[in-house]
Structures are given as C-alpha cells and as structure tokens.
Amino acid sequence: MQKSILIVGGGTAGWLSAAIIASHHKNRPKDQFTIHLVEAADVPTVGVGEGTWPTLRNTIRSIGIDEKTLFKRCFAGFKQGAKFVNWASDNHQYYHPFTVPLGYGNIDLAPYLEDVQSFADDANYQAAICDAGLAPRAPTEAEFQGVCNYAYHLDAGALGDLLKEHCRDVLGVQHHTGTVKEVVLDDQGHIANLNLEREGEAFSLSADMYVDCTGFRSLLLGQALKVPFKSIDDVLFNDTALALRVPYKDEHAPIACHTIATGQNAGWIWDIGLTHRRGIGHVFSSAFLSEDEAFDNLANYVGAPIDDLQINRIKFQAGYRQKAWKHNCVGIGLSGGFVEPLEATAIMLVEVAARYVAENIYADEKLLPIVEKRFNQQMDYRWQRITDFLKLHYSLTKRDEPYWRAHTDEATIPISLQEDLCVWKNRGPQKSDFDGVAELFPAASYQYVLYGMGFKPDFDTQAYLYDQQQTAKRIIEKNQTLTRQLLQDLPPHRNYINHWLST
Ligand code: FAD
C-alpha cells in the first residue's frame, strides 16, 4: 500500500518526527512510502528546548545517530535529573533524579526513614553524583550506557540542524522550503492539499497524512481543522519566558549534570549546562510579575550584568488541542499543546506521538478511526497527567508570596490530583498506581517530588509497612556503599566529555 506523509514545520518537532517516522519505515520500498517536510524560510523556530527526558537516548539510537556525534554537534551534556531550589520554602532544595530508588517495585523505603525529605539521598546514589558534578558513566562504559540513568541537555538549534541533515542525507526525507498560505479541505473536511509560496512563486503539496508541526500557530490542526484549544492556565499560571545564553567564566568551568530549577517570587528560573554555554531562562506569570521584575530576577540569578545578552521573549498559553489527531492530520509539538518546561516533557511527547504515527499509518481505512480515537484518548490522558505532575511541584509549597499561595488554593488543583494526594497521604505513591498504557512518569518520579517537597504520608497508621525493617536497612546501607564507590569512580562531567570526544 502506498503512503505519503507531509510534515509541515522544521522545528525540533518537525525534524524529530520526520526522523522517527522515516527510520521506522526505512526498509519499505520507495514506491510504498514517501515522507516530505516543508518549512517556511520566513517563520523562525521557537529556538528553545534544551532539557530532555531519558527516552531520547533510545530515540537517538533508533534513528541511527551515534551519541558522540550528538554530543559534538549539539554541545550536549548529560542530564541526570533536576534539582529544585526554593520550591518548598526559601533555602530548601531537593532532587528528582532519573535513576529509580533501590528496591523499586519491591519495597518503598519512605516509611523507614526518619525524615522523608532525605528520600532521594537515602534511596539512591544519583543525587550525590549530581551534587559532585560527575558524569553518569565510567570511562570504560559504552555509548548510551550508564551506571546512572540520564537524558541530555542540548543546543536546540544545533539539534534541529543535525536532525535535518540526518533526515535528508540518511533517511531519505524530502525537504522543501515554502510558506503555507492556504490549507484546502475536501468536502468531508479532510485536508486535500496545501497551497504554498516560495520566493513569490506559488506551488502546492499533497499527501495521505499531514503532520502539523507549525508551532504555536497550529496552522493545520487548530486554524484549518478548527480543533479547539483547551486552556489550563487556571492550573498552571505561567505565560511568559525570558531566555538567555550565558557564557561560562572560562572553558574549564564545571558543567552541571542536572537541570537547576530555582523558585522565584512569581515563577522559576531554569539553568541548563551545555559544553559551550549555559541556557538560563525565567518562566513566570505576567499576572503576578512584570517583565522588568523578571529581568531583575534573572540578573540577580546570573550574578553578572546581562544587559548585553540577547533575550528571547516567548509568550505562551498553557494548554492543548482537544484532539491531537483529526481526519488525516496529526498535531505534534507546540501545535498540539504546551505546558511550561518544568519537567522537559515537550520533546518526550514528540517522541511518543511520532512513534504512534509511525506504527499506525499503514492501518487501513476501516481501522483509521479506531487508531485516531485511541491516540486522542491517550494524548488527552497524557496532558492531564503532565498537568497534575507539574502542579504537584507547586501545590505543596509553603512559600508565602501571592503567586505561590494561589497555587495552593484548592480551586486551582485538578480533582484528579486532589484524589491522588488523598490516596498518597494514606500510603505514598506505589508502582501499581502507574501501570497504565499512557503513563509517562513512574511512581519513582512522584516519590522524589512528593517526599522532596516534604509531603509525609500517614505511615504510622500503616503498621504492615514496617515488617521489612531489615530489608530496608540493608538497602539503605547498600546505597551508602554504592554512593561512596561511585563518588570515587565516576569522572567530573566536563573532563569526561572532553576526554571521550577526543578519542
Ligand atoms: P517551532 O520551533 O515553533 O517550529 C515551527 C516550524 O513551523 C518552523 O519551522 C516554522 O518555519 C514552521 N512554520 C510556521 N508557520 C509556517 C507556515 N505558514 N508554512 C510553513 N512552515 C511554517 N521542550 C523540552 O522538551 N525541553 C525543554 O527544556 C523545553 N524548554 C522550553 C522552554 C520554553 C520557554 C518554551 C516556550 C518551550 C520549551 N520546550 C522545551 C518546548 C520546545 O521548545 C518545543 O517543543 C520544540 O522546540 C518544538 O517546537 P516546534 O517544532 O513544535 O515549533
């Protein structure tokens, strides 16, 4: 069966989707499968998006890019999780590392700890590795391997260029430049073709399936097919970001091996270490903070003059399209929705969505409505779970500024999260709470955030939880031994990257 795919948009979402779909079908005969990508020369990409999720390791490997090339081309660093500073209260911090707690799935260590806030340190070694600024793998380990689970910090523009080159040169994606001027629908409301313009010349493109990667514009799914946008700004209030590229003091400066998210009076600042610079940005709510105040927060954070640095200002509305797939069009990336980058979920959702499209585009006409319905159900659920997980970071705060108080107002907390918190107050989050097909975050992520924020379940009422005292003690001691050993064995982050890339 012949299938043609047309991806509209050449940002991270467009090129990553192209790579995932094209590599999935790379062995199909050329007369059965064609994939095109068109991007406007006069519409820039959003230009941010530097934190990723560990799923990207497998994705990069499966599309055929080696890890060394990724690091060299994208000035990449390892990301081993996130450190949240000043979220629960001033001068408080905790880690959400990517490696799951020791004994995960067999025993929950939290009930056995005197202070649940030490959970990340007692249950796993990765927080200590992050604090010490070490790489997640020893020099003897192979590419894509690591004693600690990891993702990447990447230069977003450079990643786009690398993916574009790989898609065109290796995966056979046909690249066009042109600005979509009109989306033509047939009498059933499906997309029939696109009318475009390039340097004053009109042309048109058509395909069996269209992937809308046009960013916040959502040109196909939102504007042409009129799929409504579901705002969630009553739950997640941030609507503005100021992003900066900050040079290191010198080329030997340490590179943080985790994202640092520091709470501010009405938002938070991200700090991402690449090999050639840091990416720093302030996400905030314009209802609570002016741009001038946000700029002052940034200057304070950087601790050096920032007037000469170029600022990328981005306005956004938190929310998502009510359907990600309609007729012969799927929205992937910002065109499908966006929530603030607190847990770097955007690129992960691109990976998940593109893989689904890749696996299902050959469904026959009768199956397509089922495929479409399932995808929409899954994406809707994922957006809801991401919303809840991000809100969790805010809802347990003890900070007293109006912005943070508003986040703890029950009226702004989704019922689903309120229900989860009731259940977890009783016995903490368990692995079985997260066994669904469309689940993105494991119980471990919730444990790290909940306990890190100081949420203490009523373990005292759950006597049965204490019958594994000896096992818990053994695991905690094992973690102490592993921590000591890894602190000795693992190399400093920058040293590791420099040495590895020079071999
Ligand atoms: P864009 O980059 O906006 O690309 C849109 C493309 O569509 C462009 O190529 C443009 O030319 C094309 N286009 C538009 N109109 C037309 C037209 N008429 N005709 C033809 N082509 C057209 N994600 C993460 O995973 N981790 C992060 O740490 C992270 N941080 C972020 C921080 C901020 C402040 C923001 C706003 C986002 C962040 N994201 C993050 C999200 C991430 O940036 C995006 O998911 C990612 O860049 C994908 O964007 P996109 O490709 O959907 O859209």
Side-chain angles (χ1 to χ4, degrees), residues 9-13 40 43 45-46 48-49 51 178 180 213-215 219 241 334 338 341 346-347:
T12 310
V43 186
T45 61
V46 73
V48 281
V180 175
C213 296
T214 58
L219 213 64
L334 300 174
F338 177 67
I347 293 174

Side-chain angles (χ1 to χ4, degrees), residues 59-70:
T59 297
I60 291 294
R61 190 178 9 201
S62 68
I63 63 180
I65 293 178
D66 65 85
E67 210 176 32
K68 230 180 218 181
T69 303
L70 182 81

Side-chain angles (χ1 to χ4, degrees), residues 197-225:
E197 207 174 276
R198 177 179 47 225
E199 293 169 3
E201 269 190 38
F203 65 104
S204 95
L205 291 171
S206 65
D208 298 315
M209 185 81 203
Y210 296 82
V211 182
D212 182 349
C213 296
T214 58
F216 289 127
R217 285 170 193 79
S218 196
L219 213 64
L220 280 60
L221 192 68
Q223 291 188 35
L225 296 181

